[in-house]
Amino acid sequence: MPELPEVETTCRGIAKALVGYKITRVHIREGRLRWPVNHQALKRLKNQKILSVSRRAKYILIEFAPGFLVLHLGMSGSLRLVKPNESCRKHDHIEWQISSGLVLRYHDPRRFGAVLWAENLEALPQLQKLGPEPLSSAFNAQYLFAKAQKSQVVIKSFIMNQQIVVGVGNIYAVESLYLAKIHPLRISSSLSLAECRLLCVTIKRVLKKAIEAGGTTLQDFYQSDGQPGYFAQKLQVYDEAGKPCRKCKTVIEKITVQNRSTYFCSTCQPFFA
DNA sequence: AAAGATGCCTGTAAGC
DNA sequence: TGCTTACAGGCATCTT
């Protein structure tokens, strides 16, 4: 599931192969993604030069003179750079031929992802209400504590709220709470400043480590060169229900929080009301 | 206003 | 064996 580390990995993987080159052909095989693809806007990118590739939250931003291509990988999306003779697979929905000779392919079996066009990023509703980047200094203990003080939602939902902090999805929320020894069902406002500090630092550490490992591949995610991410091997509690906690041997529990699988150790992550 | 529920999708695995 | 069903979840949108 592409969360910040997977999107960052993808961004780094495609940037060098794209920046400075032109789009020579756009082929839309399936335009029914999260939102219908704007065929006209995408086709206009032919002969346009790619100025930069960057990331905001879980969105990949590809800059051209007239505007930005904004990509979201949703649940199952991935971007790959392939040679033009490589045959296309099922769910390869969109591809861009690059003047270098390579082809950029957008692959997304579940089609929860998006390929959007924006003349200016400020106008894009998806980017308007996003919180700070987790790896920036704006995301710090004081910020998290101040926000948490005002929230009655459980802490796991809180850190997955993109208006609070971006990039943290289910897997990294579960892992961060385990490593910070915070029960996922704690009410946000019950966290102390010290706990917020630890959680903040832990989220940053987990995301950085995951980026270094090339992200987490469980099913669908692949890096732009087709290689899987290797952080799955470092996950401590995610998908470990019934197995002993690596620290204390207590059996890892699985619960559902807002329709999402949540794993925790009741000993390492005690709940105080 | 805040928080919970819903729908969009398809591959995989489990159950009969 | 082949069908049906449950599950995986990011996020906009709807409901309470």
Side-chain angles (χ1 to χ4, degrees):
Chain A
M1 296 100 224
E3 302 178 33
L4 186 142
E6 291 74 34
V7 178
E8 179 65 26
T9 297
T10 300
C11 244
R12 292 180 185 183
I14 63 174
K16 262 197 179 160
L18 297 187
V19 176
Y21 295 100
K22 285 182 176 179
I23 301 288
T24 55
R25 198 177 72 101
V26 180
H27 183 48
I28 302 167
R29 212 168 268 114
E30 174 59 82
R32 293 173 302 168
L33 303 182
R34 170 99 214 229
W35 295 281
V37 166
N38 183 338
H39 288 244
Q40 257 195 338
L42 259 65
K43 294 287 184 185
R44 277 201 296 270
L45 292 177
K46 197 175 164 183
N47 292 325
Q48 288 289 341
K49 193 175 171 186
I50 297 157
L51 303 179
S52 72
V53 175
S54 58
R55 179 189 61 74
R56 170 70 176 116
K58 297 175 194 170
Y59 294 88
I60 294 168
L61 314 173
I62 303 179
E63 182 185 10
F64 298 85
F68 289 82
L69 204 51
V70 178
L71 313 183
H72 196 291
L73 302 178
M75 258 289 297
S76 56
S78 60
L79 279 170
R80 279 188 74 187
L81 281 164
V82 298
K83 302 206 170 110
N85 59 358
E86 188 167 322
S87 57
C88 94
R89 299 168 300 164
K90 199 177 179 183
H91 305 304
D92 281 345
H93 303 315
I94 303 178
E95 62 182 39
W96 295 268
Q97 173 85 238
I98 312 299
S99 56
S100 66
L102 289 176
V103 172
L104 181 68
R105 283 208 178 129
Y106 179 84
H107 177 88
D108 185 7
R110 271 163 269 193
R111 290 195 272 125
F112 277 20
V115 175
L116 304 166
W117 172 254
E119 288 184 10
N120 54 322
L121 294 177
E122 297 74 31
L124 203 65
Q126 286 85 350
L127 300 180
Q128 280 175 7
K129 292 165 83 179
L130 296 173
E133 287 287 330
L135 299 179
S136 73
S137 58
F139 181 62
N140 57 48
Q142 284 73 24
Y143 166 83
L144 191 63
F145 182 61
K147 288 283 186 184
Q149 286 283 85
K150 289 182 273 185
S151 173
Q152 300 310 303
V153 300
V154 298
I155 189 64
K156 192 205 170 205
S157 304
F158 183 76
I159 58 174
M160 286 176 68
N161 182 343
Q162 304 297 298
Q163 295 186 37
I164 300 299
V165 59
V166 301
V168 180
N170 198 50
I171 295 173
Y172 297 113
V174 165
E175 289 295 309
S176 299
L177 288 169
Y178 171 77
L179 293 170
K181 301 184 188 296
I182 295 170
H183 194 292
L185 295 181
R186 290 273 306 279
I187 299 300
S188 302
S189 63
S190 78
L191 267 69
S192 67
L193 175 59
E195 286 175 319
C196 285
R197 178 175 297 119
L198 179 58
L199 182 54
C200 180
V201 168
T202 305
I203 288 172
K204 287 174 192 276
R205 187 182 301 140
V206 170
L207 294 177
K208 276 184 195 164
K209 293 262 183 197
I211 291 169
E212 285 169 21
T216 300
T217 296
L218 294 180
Q219 288 178 11
D220 298 296
F221 177 73
Y222 288 92
Q223 302 187 50
S224 60
D225 58 2
Q227 292 294 306
Y230 298 104
F231 197 70
Q233 303 160 27
K234 304 214 170 121
L235 296 177
Q236 303 291 306
V237 280
Y238 185 83
D239 207 18
E240 294 285 308
K243 296 180 188 166
C245 168
R246 297 181 188 205
K247 289 180 199 155
C248 76
K249 308 298 177 207
T250 301
V251 175
I252 298 297
E253 288 181 46
K254 178 184 180 180
I255 57 174
T256 296
V257 180
Q258 303 210 157
N259 259 335
R260 287 174 185 90
S261 299
T262 306
Y263 306 85
F264 69 100
C265 169
S266 58
T267 303
C268 294
Q269 297 161 272
F271 182 89
F272 344 98

